[in-house]
PDB file of all heavy atoms in Angstrom:
ATOM      1  N   TRP W 665     139.393 -74.006 -23.256  1.00  0.00           N
ATOM      2  CA  TRP W 665     139.138 -72.597 -23.162  1.00  0.00           C
ATOM      3  C   TRP W 665     140.440 -71.879 -22.737  1.00  0.00           C
ATOM      4  O   TRP W 665     141.114 -72.373 -21.841  1.00  0.00           O
ATOM      5  CB  TRP W 665     138.153 -72.288 -22.109  1.00  0.00           C
ATOM      6  CG  TRP W 665     136.692 -72.521 -22.517  1.00  0.00           C
ATOM      7  CD1 TRP W 665     135.912 -73.541 -22.078  1.00  0.00           C
ATOM      8  CD2 TRP W 665     135.935 -71.732 -23.446  1.00  0.00           C
ATOM      9  NE1 TRP W 665     134.669 -73.439 -22.722  1.00  0.00           N
ATOM     10  CE2 TRP W 665     134.654 -72.333 -23.541  1.00  0.00           C
ATOM     11  CE3 TRP W 665     136.189 -70.630 -24.247  1.00  0.00           C
ATOM     12  CZ2 TRP W 665     133.628 -71.848 -24.344  1.00  0.00           C
ATOM     13  CZ3 TRP W 665     135.165 -70.120 -25.052  1.00  0.00           C
ATOM     14  CH2 TRP W 665     133.884 -70.736 -25.098  1.00  0.00           C
ATOM     15  N   VAL W 666     140.719 -70.752 -23.356  1.00  0.00           N
ATOM     16  CA  VAL W 666     141.784 -69.920 -22.881  1.00  0.00           C
ATOM     17  C   VAL W 666     141.142 -68.753 -22.131  1.00  0.00           C
ATOM     18  O   VAL W 666     140.294 -68.070 -22.681  1.00  0.00           O
ATOM     19  CB  VAL W 666     142.675 -69.317 -24.023  1.00  0.00           C
ATOM     20  CG1 VAL W 666     143.717 -68.389 -23.462  1.00  0.00           C
ATOM     21  CG2 VAL W 666     143.321 -70.445 -24.784  1.00  0.00           C
ATOM     22  N   GLU W 667     141.517 -68.598 -20.866  1.00  0.00           N
ATOM     23  CA  GLU W 667     141.048 -67.440 -20.095  1.00  0.00           C
ATOM     24  C   GLU W 667     142.240 -66.511 -19.832  1.00  0.00           C
ATOM     25  O   GLU W 667     143.269 -67.008 -19.354  1.00  0.00           O
ATOM     26  CB  GLU W 667     140.418 -67.885 -18.805  1.00  0.00           C
ATOM     27  CG  GLU W 667     139.124 -68.601 -19.001  1.00  0.00           C
ATOM     28  CD  GLU W 667     138.350 -68.937 -17.697  1.00  0.00           C
ATOM     29  OE1 GLU W 667     138.873 -68.525 -16.635  1.00  0.00           O
ATOM     30  OE2 GLU W 667     137.346 -69.595 -17.790  1.00  0.00           O
ATOM     31  N   ASP W 668     142.064 -65.292 -20.159  1.00  0.00           N
ATOM     32  CA  ASP W 668     143.242 -64.382 -20.049  1.00  0.00           C
ATOM     33  C   ASP W 668     143.398 -63.884 -18.643  1.00  0.00           C
ATOM     34  O   ASP W 668     142.434 -63.636 -17.878  1.00  0.00           O
ATOM     35  CB  ASP W 668     143.049 -63.183 -20.989  1.00  0.00           C
ATOM     36  CG  ASP W 668     144.315 -62.464 -21.183  1.00  0.00           C
ATOM     37  OD1 ASP W 668     145.179 -62.922 -21.973  1.00  0.00           O
ATOM     38  OD2 ASP W 668     144.562 -61.403 -20.500  1.00  0.00           O
ATOM     39  N   ALA W 669     144.632 -63.800 -18.200  1.00  0.00           N
ATOM     40  CA  ALA W 669     144.937 -63.307 -16.840  1.00  0.00           C
ATOM     41  C   ALA W 669     144.543 -61.806 -16.707  1.00  0.00           C
ATOM     42  O   ALA W 669     144.465 -61.278 -15.610  1.00  0.00           O
ATOM     43  CB  ALA W 669     146.418 -63.491 -16.515  1.00  0.00           C
ATOM     44  N   GLY W 670     144.306 -61.165 -17.850  1.00  0.00           N
ATOM     45  CA  GLY W 670     143.765 -59.810 -17.885  1.00  0.00           C
ATOM     46  C   GLY W 670     144.721 -58.714 -17.419  1.00  0.00           C
ATOM     47  O   GLY W 670     144.335 -57.732 -16.844  1.00  0.00           O
ATOM     48  N   LEU W 671     146.001 -58.975 -17.673  1.00  0.00           N
ATOM     49  CA  LEU W 671     146.975 -57.906 -17.229  1.00  0.00           C
ATOM     50  C   LEU W 671     147.023 -56.742 -18.183  1.00  0.00           C
ATOM     51  O   LEU W 671     147.460 -55.696 -17.843  1.00  0.00           O
ATOM     52  CB  LEU W 671     148.373 -58.549 -17.132  1.00  0.00           C
ATOM     53  CG  LEU W 671     148.401 -59.742 -16.100  1.00  0.00           C
ATOM     54  CD1 LEU W 671     149.795 -60.383 -16.147  1.00  0.00           C
ATOM     55  CD2 LEU W 671     148.111 -59.262 -14.663  1.00  0.00           C
ATOM     56  N   THR W 672     146.521 -56.960 -19.405  1.00  0.00           N
ATOM     57  CA  THR W 672     146.710 -55.893 -20.395  1.00  0.00           C
ATOM     58  C   THR W 672     145.409 -55.420 -21.079  1.00  0.00           C
ATOM     59  O   THR W 672     144.767 -54.508 -20.684  1.00  0.00           O
ATOM     60  CB  THR W 672     147.732 -56.275 -21.487  1.00  0.00           C
ATOM     61  OG1 THR W 672     147.333 -57.591 -21.987  1.00  0.00           O
ATOM     62  CG2 THR W 672     149.110 -56.327 -20.894  1.00  0.00           C
ATOM     63  N   GLU W 673     144.981 -56.252 -22.069  1.00  0.00           N
ATOM     64  CA  GLU W 673     143.852 -55.713 -22.910  1.00  0.00           C
ATOM     65  C   GLU W 673     142.445 -56.040 -22.443  1.00  0.00           C
ATOM     66  O   GLU W 673     141.471 -55.467 -22.893  1.00  0.00           O
ATOM     67  CB  GLU W 673     144.008 -56.238 -24.355  1.00  0.00           C
ATOM     68  CG  GLU W 673     145.293 -55.701 -24.981  1.00  0.00           C
ATOM     69  CD  GLU W 673     145.545 -56.238 -26.380  1.00  0.00           C
ATOM     70  OE1 GLU W 673     144.607 -56.414 -27.159  1.00  0.00           O
ATOM     71  OE2 GLU W 673     146.733 -56.421 -26.740  1.00  0.00           O
ATOM     72  N   VAL W 674     142.278 -57.149 -21.630  1.00  0.00           N
ATOM     73  CA  VAL W 674     140.909 -57.529 -21.221  1.00  0.00           C
ATOM     74  C   VAL W 674     140.841 -57.806 -19.694  1.00  0.00           C
ATOM     75  O   VAL W 674     141.842 -57.872 -19.076  1.00  0.00           O
ATOM     76  CB  VAL W 674     140.502 -58.818 -21.957  1.00  0.00           C
ATOM     77  CG1 VAL W 674     140.429 -58.596 -23.440  1.00  0.00           C
ATOM     78  CG2 VAL W 674     141.375 -59.992 -21.640  1.00  0.00           C
ATOM     79  N   ALA W 675     139.614 -57.882 -19.192  1.00  0.00           N
ATOM     80  CA  ALA W 675     139.423 -58.113 -17.742  1.00  0.00           C
ATOM     81  C   ALA W 675     139.907 -59.517 -17.380  1.00  0.00           C
ATOM     82  O   ALA W 675     139.754 -60.455 -18.213  1.00  0.00           O
ATOM     83  CB  ALA W 675     137.915 -57.958 -17.382  1.00  0.00           C
TER      84      ALA W 675
END
Side-chain angles (χ1 to χ4, degrees):
Chain W
W665 283 108
V666 178
E667 291 187 4
D668 196 79
L671 302 174
T672 50
E673 297 179 33
V674 298

